[in-house]
Amino acid sequence: MRFFLFSLAISLMHCTFGQMYVRKKQNIGFYTGGTFKDAQFNTVSVGLTRSVWNYFEPEIGLRATLPLSSSEDYTQPHNVYLTGGLNFRKSLWQINQRKIGQSCRGEIVEFFVAPEYNLLIKSHTDRYDLGQFSLRTGLGLFHYQSGTSKRSKAWNVKAQAYYRFVPGPVTNTMSIKNEFGIQLRVFRFKTYNFLK
């Protein structure tokens, strides 16, 4: 009888103080990154995104092209674009799997491809095209952690390396050309306590 009462008390304490957070579908993300040209930081981009059905990440943001000459003022961007795209992602494999306490952790490598459109909204000259299509593709890396803590369920951070391809012939009126870049994406998911 004492064992039964002790087990019941432990179970009630666990239900009273336990927390088991579950991730909801609602989320919002922020991304920032840039591209390189001639071993210099050439552009910077920022924007908003979200994760839809674990495979799609629609995004909208701004892209600014910086002057490359060291004699020019780096605070004044040459061209500013309004960009929109749809990021298709697929997880490939897990790396660096480890167990820390009761939690399993590791990193996941993913492949992504993102068709995008860049609309020129500000330029220091009128010789550039007003809009350009491009295709961004590359590999991403993000951390995962099992468990039910609020922090592990609410946040997701991804680092991406990509190559941007602009279809068609390269012309002098194009300010966006084929280039390599990096990007950081941070997602915040809504969570709820499953035990309440």
Side-chain angles (χ1 to χ4, degrees):
M1 183 69 172
R2 288 181 187 171
F3 179 75
F4 174 74
L5 291 175
F6 179 73
S7 299
L8 182 62
I10 294 294
S11 298
L12 290 174
M13 280 179 38
H14 177 71
C15 291
T16 304
F17 298 107
Q19 293 181 341
M20 183 174 173
Y21 287 94
V22 177
R23 179 180 286 180
K24 291 185 175 181
K25 292 181 181 178
Q26 295 94 340
N27 65 83
I28 188 72
F30 169 80
Y31 70 85
T32 184
T35 61
F36 300 93
K37 183 178 180 182
D38 300 328
Q40 295 184 37
F41 198 55
N42 182 34
T43 67
V44 63
S45 60
V46 295
L48 296 175
T49 183
R50 64 181 309 241
S51 179
V52 181
W53 299 322
N54 293 327
Y55 295 103
F56 307 103
E57 294 172 0
E59 59 190 49
I60 187 166
L62 294 174
R63 170 193 165 109
T65 304
L66 302 174
L68 286 177
S69 174
S70 59
S71 62
E72 296 186 49
D73 184 7
Y74 276 90
T75 62
Q76 296 298 320
H78 272 192
N79 300 313
V80 178
Y81 291 89
L82 177 65
T83 64
L86 181 59
N87 197 32
F88 299 92
R89 58 171 294 270
K90 174 68 173 121
S91 297
L92 297 179
W93 62 82
Q94 300 174 357
I95 59 173
N96 195 23
Q97 295 178 347
R98 58 208 181 271
K99 186 170 183 180
I100 300 177
Q102 299 296 320
S103 175
C104 294
R105 302 178 186 189
E107 282 70 43
I108 295 179
V109 177
E110 68 178 11
F111 171 78
F112 67 90
V113 59
E116 54 189 9
Y117 187 75
N118 306 280
L119 179 66
L120 183 64
I121 57 176
K122 180 186 175 188
S123 177
H124 71 291
T125 178
D126 58 357
R127 64 184 289 267
Y128 290 125
D129 294 339
L130 292 180
Q132 288 183 247
F133 283 103
S134 59
L135 187 66
R136 192 178 72 242
T137 184
L139 294 176
L141 181 71
F142 66 94
H143 175 78
Y144 75 89
Q145 177 177 340
S146 67
T148 56
S149 70
K150 187 171 185 178
R151 187 179 69 173
S152 66
K153 294 297 182 183
W155 294 96
N156 193 354
V157 179
K158 297 181 181 182
Q160 296 181 336
Y162 63 85
Y163 179 73
R164 178 175 281 113
F165 171 73
V166 180
V170 177
T171 65
N172 291 333
T173 61
M174 295 167 52
S175 62
I176 298 178
K177 296 178 179 166
N178 299 344
E179 57 194 1
F180 289 96
I182 56 173
Q183 197 172 83
L184 181 70
R185 292 173 172 250
V186 180
F187 291 89
R188 173 73 165 91
F189 289 83
K190 283 189 176 180
T191 61
Y192 67 94
N193 191 339
F194 184 73
L195 299 178
K196 288 187 179 179

